[in-house]
């Protein structure tokens, strides 16, 4: 029983040494060759080469290899036995005929050549596999980039919708404020009419004749010096922070168009009034409905934003 176990161990050790020697002949480092044989369980030169190519970039690939206790790679039965005692397993192997005969130099070169060709094939397969993996990773990166771009675009669209909704609300609030001002003016007129009774009507009847002579000189003056009609009006607005805005409006547009332009481009959500510096005039909510030409802002004017 001991003879059979010794013979089996000797065959395994010789196979290990064959794979190990082949790796050394191919130019692999001794430490790496030992690790390849040990980690592949001595399953042949192809397995050992595959392991080396897969683990060549490991950080600990060149650390010294420590074999298991009682098993040193490349140790033969002759090293473990006394030099004066013949090896019993060697005698058994000689009687039965050992298939592991020493190889000639040509056979060793031929085997090394075959192994190098096999290693080239394995390296090419590995490069092709790595190329496919890199292509797949690039596809994943592009897909992630497209997803991120879609998310950013959606956020921008949502922000634009919020701004549009805010502007619509501001316009609606301005419209309601103007409507309230108009209603208040109408109520004030009705109240004055009830308070003064017919006096207002008599005054209204007597006032037109007195106004006619006053209006005649401007008409004569306009006849002698006709004013030029302007279709456009350039308005420059000085904001609270000192910066300026400039835009061209139609002469018939109301002053409210200028106010909306300032709200959209520089008011930052603050409530404000518009004034002219020279001569100083504060425009009220009633003035917002009047066209620019009627307010004397044509063909150009400078407005200043002040806080309410």
């Amino acid at each position: 029983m001991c003879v059979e176990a010794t013979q089996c161990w000797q065959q395994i050790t010789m196979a290990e040494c064959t794979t190990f020697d082949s790796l050394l002949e191919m130019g692999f480092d001794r430490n790496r060759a030992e690790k390849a044989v040990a980690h592949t369980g001595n399953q042949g030169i192809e397995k050992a080469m595959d392991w080396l190519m897969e683990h060549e970039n490991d950080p600990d690939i060149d650390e010294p290899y420590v074999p298991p206790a009682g098993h040193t790679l490349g140790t033969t039965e002759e090293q473990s036995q006394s030099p004066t005692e013949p090896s019993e397993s060697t005698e058994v192997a000689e009687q039965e005929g050992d298939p592991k005969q020493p190889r000639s130099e040509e056979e060793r070169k031929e085997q090394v050549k075959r192994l190098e060709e096999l290693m080239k094939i394995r390296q090419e397969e590995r490069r092709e596999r790595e190329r496919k993996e890199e292509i797949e990773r690039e596809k994943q990166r592009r897909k992630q980039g497209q997803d991120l771009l879609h998310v950013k675009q959606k956020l921008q669209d949502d922000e634009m919708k919020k701004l549009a909704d805010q502007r619509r609300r501001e316009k609606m609030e301005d419209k309601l404020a103007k409507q309230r001002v108009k209603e208040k003016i109408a109520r004030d007129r009705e109240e004055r009419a009830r308070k003064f009774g017919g006096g207002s009507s008599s005054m209204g009847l007597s006032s037109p004749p007195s106004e006619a002579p006053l209006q005649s000189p401007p008409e004569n003056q306009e006849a002698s010096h006709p004013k030029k009609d302007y279709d456009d009006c350039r308005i420059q607005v000085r904001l609270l922070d000192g910066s300026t805005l400039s835009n061209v409006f139609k002469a018939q547009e109301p002053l409210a168009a200028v106010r909306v332009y300032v709200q959209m481009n520089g008011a930052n959500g603050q409530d404000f009034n518009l004034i002219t510096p020279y001569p100083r005039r504060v425009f009220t909510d009633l003035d917002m409905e009047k066209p620019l030409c009627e307010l004397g802002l044509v063909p150009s004017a400078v407005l200043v934003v002040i806080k309410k």
Side-chain angles (χ1 to χ4, degrees):
M1 188 66 180
C2 293
V3 174
E4 293 178 357
T6 303
Q7 182 181 2
C8 181
W9 175 254
Q10 183 181 13
Q11 292 177 356
I12 293 174
T13 305
M14 291 177 65
E16 287 180 352
C17 290
T18 300
T19 302
F20 177 75
D21 293 339
S22 298
L23 292 175
L24 293 179
E25 290 175 0
M26 293 176 66
F28 286 103
D29 182 76
R30 180 182 183 86
N31 186 50
R32 295 191 179 191
E34 290 179 355
K35 286 187 177 183
V37 173
H39 285 287
T40 57
N42 190 34
Q43 297 182 7
I45 185 67
E46 295 184 12
K47 296 287 186 181
M49 285 193 305
D50 291 342
W51 187 91
L52 283 171
M53 286 187 291
E54 291 177 1
H55 296 273
E56 63 179 354
N57 295 324
D58 291 354
D60 59 343
I61 186 65
D62 292 321
E63 293 183 2
Y65 173 68
V66 180
H71 177 205
T72 302
L73 188 63
T75 304
T76 59
E77 281 299 315
E78 288 79 7
Q79 294 174 344
S80 63
Q81 293 178 350
S82 173
T84 58
E85 297 179 359
S87 174
E88 184 178 358
S89 59
T90 305
E91 295 176 359
V92 174
E94 292 177 354
Q95 293 176 1
E96 296 179 355
D98 188 1
K100 302 291 183 179
Q101 297 295 331
R103 292 174 295 177
S104 64
E105 185 66 23
E106 294 181 356
E107 290 176 344
R108 294 179 64 184
K109 291 181 178 180
E110 184 66 24
Q111 184 180 11
V112 170
K113 182 178 180 181
R114 288 197 304 269
L115 293 176
E116 289 177 349
E117 292 176 354
L118 180 61
M119 185 173 68
K120 291 180 180 179
I121 294 174
R122 290 286 190 271
Q123 290 176 345
E124 184 64 27
E125 292 176 351
R126 180 186 177 188
R127 284 194 293 267
E128 181 66 19
R129 184 172 63 254
E130 291 177 350
R131 186 182 68 83
K132 291 181 179 180
E133 292 175 354
E134 181 63 25
I135 292 175
E136 187 64 25
R137 287 194 295 269
E138 182 64 24
K139 289 181 180 179
Q140 292 294 331
R141 286 194 295 268
R142 291 183 179 180
K143 184 177 182 301
Q144 292 175 357
Q146 291 177 354
D147 294 341
L148 181 60
L149 183 62
H150 291 161
V151 171
K152 289 183 178 179
Q153 186 64 37
K154 186 177 183 303
L155 292 176
Q156 291 178 357
D157 293 342
D158 293 342
E159 187 65 23
M160 292 299 294
K161 289 180 181 179
K162 289 181 181 179
L163 291 175
D165 292 340
Q166 182 179 357
R167 290 173 183 173
R168 283 195 294 270
R169 287 195 300 268
E170 290 176 354
K171 290 181 179 179
M172 183 60 66
E173 291 174 357
D174 290 342
K175 185 176 180 181
L176 293 176
K178 294 173 184 177
Q179 184 65 28
R180 288 193 295 268
V181 171
K182 290 180 179 179
E183 292 175 356
K184 185 177 184 303
I185 293 173
R187 288 195 301 269
D188 292 342
R189 288 178 179 174
E190 292 177 358
E191 185 177 354
R192 285 198 301 270
R194 287 194 302 268
K195 180 182 292 186
F196 295 104
S200 61
S201 59
S202 60
M203 292 175 62
L205 292 174
S206 60
S207 59
S210 61
E211 290 177 354
L214 295 175
Q215 293 178 355
S216 57
E219 292 178 355
N220 296 332
Q221 185 177 0
E222 290 179 358
S224 60
H225 300 284
K227 293 183 178 179
K228 184 178 179 180
D229 294 331
Y230 293 92
D231 295 330
D232 296 329
C233 174
R234 177 172 294 277
I235 301 295
Q236 183 177 359
V237 183
R238 186 161 65 245
L239 304 177
L240 295 172
D241 58 357
S243 60
T244 59
L245 297 174
S246 181
N247 195 22
V248 177
F249 300 87
K250 293 296 182 181
Q252 297 299 327
E253 283 188 87
L255 183 59
V258 180
R259 179 182 178 84
V260 172
Y261 174 77
V262 175
Q263 287 177 337
M264 294 176 61
N265 293 277
N268 296 326
Q270 297 180 356
D271 200 3
F272 62 91
N273 284 331
L274 294 174
I275 68 169
T276 55
Y278 303 103
R280 180 179 175 84
R281 176 182 177 183
V282 180
F283 294 103
T284 64
D285 292 334
L286 293 178
D287 296 327
M288 294 298 162
E289 296 298 324
K290 296 180 181 180
L292 300 176
C293 59
E294 184 179 339
L295 296 173
L297 302 177
V298 177
S300 63
V302 177
L303 299 179
V304 180
V305 175
I306 62 172
K307 293 182 179 180
K308 277 192 175 181

